[in-house]
Amino acid sequence: MKSAVETIGCDGSVTVKYGNGTVKHISPDGRVVTMTYFNGDTKKTYHDGRVVYTFLKDGITQTQLPDGTERTLFPTGQEETKFPDKRIEIKYPDRSTKVTYANGEEKSVYADGTVVTLDKSGQ
């Protein structure tokens, strides 16, 4: 097992460097814990329960909220949100949106204002 080295900053922050290259940083007030992994990915855990994971290589940021909502931001500007009620909302860079409901229904609103609604059978 590889060892870890803990350092306490003069501001009260704590940094732990693990043998595998992972670094854990705890803010001085203890309200934010940041894990930086050997591949450059980061995971920030906030005192309010939010968890933000950034995939460095892909430029993707994923946020999990305390209520179970999960939001993913892509480098293209696309944003995908999954809600606790199983609804999925996708916002595209051209301002179009698509919502898929738990019952299989879909509603798309295109940038030109066109609205398309499909029932669970695709009609």
Side-chain angles (χ1 to χ4, degrees), residues 105-120:
E105 292 179 0
E106 292 183 2
K107 179 180 179 181
S108 298
V109 180
Y110 295 93
D112 67 2
T114 302
V115 177
V116 176
T117 304
L118 300 175
D119 63 21
K120 58 186 174 185

Side-chain angles (χ1 to χ4, degrees), residues 38-77:
F38 67 93
N39 63 356
D41 290 359
T42 59
K43 178 182 177 183
K44 288 188 177 187
T45 304
Y46 295 87
H47 75 285
D48 63 3
R50 280 179 299 142
V51 177
V52 179
Y53 194 100
T54 302
F55 299 87
L56 180 67
K57 181 179 176 187
D58 299 323
I60 296 170
T61 301
Q62 190 173 57
T63 303
Q64 295 178 346
L65 302 177
D67 69 357
T69 300
E70 183 178 296
R71 182 169 291 126
T72 304
L73 299 173
F74 298 90
T76 61

